[in-house]
Amino acid sequence: MAVRIAEATSDENGRARDGVAGDQKQRKGKGEEVGVKNWYDRTGGWSVYLECTDIALAAAAAENATRIANDDSFGYDQDQRSTAYKAILAAGSIEAAADSELDCSVLVFTAYKIAGLKIEVGYTGNLESRFMATGKFIAHREPKYLTSGDYARTGGIYLTAGKHTMIVVSDGSKSASPSTPIKEDYSSEADQIDPPYVLSLGRVNVRATAGISGKIIYTASKNEKLPFGEYDWDTGWYAVETPKGNGFITNKPKYTKLVTEWAAARRRSGNDRPKQARLRWQASWSSAASRSPLRLRAGSASSPKPRWSSVSSRVSRCWSSATTCARHKRKTSSKSSARTTTPMRRLKSSLI
């Protein structure tokens, strides 16, 4: 009998995010976002197999994973990956949980947490280190464990860091006739950590200490997400967590990008349209205003409160056409010309 595993792969549209909560594929009878299937050898292979030494714990985790996978309340979404565990805690059981989302690593972490294992939810990059730290797992890297499910045990975890993970829900057998491994590939199978994290925009080195003189401890691949810790205030480098331990990565925009919860929420809400033109105007206006002396105007009957203004406020009425407004370019007296055109010339130069 084939070895069975539980895993989360992609949303109802075959993507990693922006789907509807719950397993829409199951509800439509078109497969599963989260499901149970036969063991397979993923494209690129597995990097490690984690065997649980606590038989009772492993069995409970496998049962939890199966119940979650067979319940269409749980779908796949990297941006909403933490909602499934919260929904289960709020409802008090897997079956009573509201529609929610998870990803491949959260499925494994949640199955074991509900079974009673004391462990914090992470992602595929730190899954091995966190499970090994519990003292209840053995890591196998021998080919016989990674190329076939024959040696798999219930509750075992297959993992390729930064790519994918799945949990075994039935035992394999060395004496069973070898089956032809099923080759599968999921372009969106890499899971996502919760913000804040540092996104690597290429192959970027992580060093033991901040700065280019630090020893290289890990090399992040393109689009890899590393949990963010804090800033190094001397260099500006980001402190991050990697599969090889904690280190520092450059903060140069050419190589990395810090993603915060605020930025992720804006993208999830769809309110992330390009605003380059508006931002350029704001930066230019701030630059021009900062060079103009401020003075306090007395309040009027309609506006009793005194207000600050500057010479550059004269051109605020025509901000939408600041580079072409003829009214502020006309020549009057030399004093008037100096007062009105100088801020405009400064503003125009900063817009170039």
Side-chain angles (χ1 to χ4, degrees):
M1 185 175 179
V3 178
R4 304 285 279 174
I5 57 92
E7 66 174 355
T9 54
S10 63
D11 69 11
E12 66 271 23
N13 300 310
R15 298 195 296 261
R17 54 180 59 85
D18 299 329
V20 179
D23 197 327
Q24 305 304 315
K25 287 185 179 180
Q26 279 196 42
R27 291 173 180 175
K28 296 176 181 179
K30 297 182 178 180
E32 306 97 4
E33 298 177 41
V34 186
V36 176
K37 61 181 67 174
N38 291 341
W39 186 96
Y40 66 92
D41 184 12
R42 68 176 293 276
T43 301
W46 299 105
S47 60
V48 65
Y49 168 68
L50 304 180
E51 179 185 341
C52 183
T53 58
D54 187 326
I55 298 176
L57 176 66
E63 180 184 357
N64 291 336
T66 301
R67 290 164 59 196
I68 292 172
N70 291 332
D71 192 321
D72 62 11
S73 297
F74 303 99
Y76 184 99
D77 192 297
Q78 290 183 354
D79 287 349
Q80 304 295 326
R81 66 194 295 268
S82 62
T83 59
Y85 181 64
K86 294 177 181 178
I88 294 171
L89 291 184
S93 71
I94 293 173
E95 287 72 21
D99 286 358
S100 52
E101 308 279 63
L102 45 73
D103 63 14
C104 61
S105 60
V106 171
L107 173 62
V108 176
F109 278 107
T110 299
Y112 268 101
K113 282 179 71 69
I114 298 174
L117 182 65
K118 294 182 179 179
I119 191 171
E120 293 298 320
V121 175
Y123 72 117
T124 57
N126 60 19
L127 186 148
E128 180 181 358
S129 61
R130 292 195 176 186
F131 274 92
M132 292 300 294
T134 66
K136 295 181 179 292
F137 289 83
I138 300 173
H140 295 284
R141 287 184 167 80
E142 304 92 318
K144 68 178 183 179
Y145 286 99
L146 306 180
T147 59
S148 169
D150 292 343
Y151 289 86
R153 289 188 178 182
T154 298
I157 301 170
Y158 282 89
L159 169 69
T160 298
K163 294 296 183 181
H164 192 46
T165 186
M166 63 186 188
I167 181 171
V168 180
V169 298
S170 70
D171 289 331
S173 174
K174 293 188 298 182
S175 61
S177 300
S179 58
T180 303
I182 302 172
K183 288 286 184 178
E184 298 193 19
D185 190 19
Y186 298 97
S187 58
S188 62
E189 67 184 6
D191 64 345
Q192 177 174 317
I193 61 173
D194 293 327
Y197 60 80
V198 176
L199 176 65
S200 173
L201 303 181
R203 289 182 59 81
V204 186
N205 291 326
V206 179
R207 300 176 182 271
T209 56
I212 59 174
S213 61
K215 180 182 177 181
I216 298 174
I217 62 171
Y218 181 73
T219 300
S221 58
K222 185 176 181 179
N223 294 327
E224 184 172 353
K225 303 172 183 67
L226 303 174
F228 170 74
E230 60 183 2
Y231 292 97
D232 177 74
W233 294 108
D234 292 331
T235 63
W237 281 37
Y238 304 131
V240 295
E241 182 180 346
T242 77
K244 300 294 184 180
N246 296 335
F248 294 87
I249 195 169
T250 178
N251 64 335
K252 290 185 177 180
K254 179 180 178 181
Y255 303 108
T256 61
K257 177 182 179 181
L258 177 62
V259 178
T260 62
E261 179 61 39
W262 177 84
R266 283 183 61 85
R267 181 171 56 75
R268 288 197 297 268
S269 66
N271 188 21
D272 197 28
R273 295 182 294 273
K275 298 181 176 63
Q276 290 87 347
R278 180 174 66 81
L279 294 176
R280 283 198 299 270
W281 162 255
Q282 289 178 341
S284 302
W285 181 254
S286 299
S287 176
S290 66
R291 295 194 293 269
S292 301
L294 294 173
R295 59 176 179 270
L296 183 65
R297 290 185 179 179
S300 61
S302 60
S303 179
K305 293 183 179 181
R307 59 191 178 91
W308 289 101
S309 67
S310 69
V311 175
S312 59
S313 67
R314 298 170 183 267
V315 297
S316 63
R317 293 185 297 276
C318 55
W319 65 270
S320 62
S321 56
T323 59
T324 60
C325 179
R327 182 160 60 88
H328 289 103
K329 293 181 181 178
R330 68 176 184 268
K331 293 183 179 180
T332 54
S333 65
S334 59
K335 292 183 179 180
S336 175
S337 176
R339 286 196 304 270
T340 58
T341 62
T342 298
M344 180 55 63
R345 285 198 299 270
R346 290 175 179 170
L347 185 58
K348 285 180 63 179
S349 64
S350 63
L351 286 170
I352 297 174

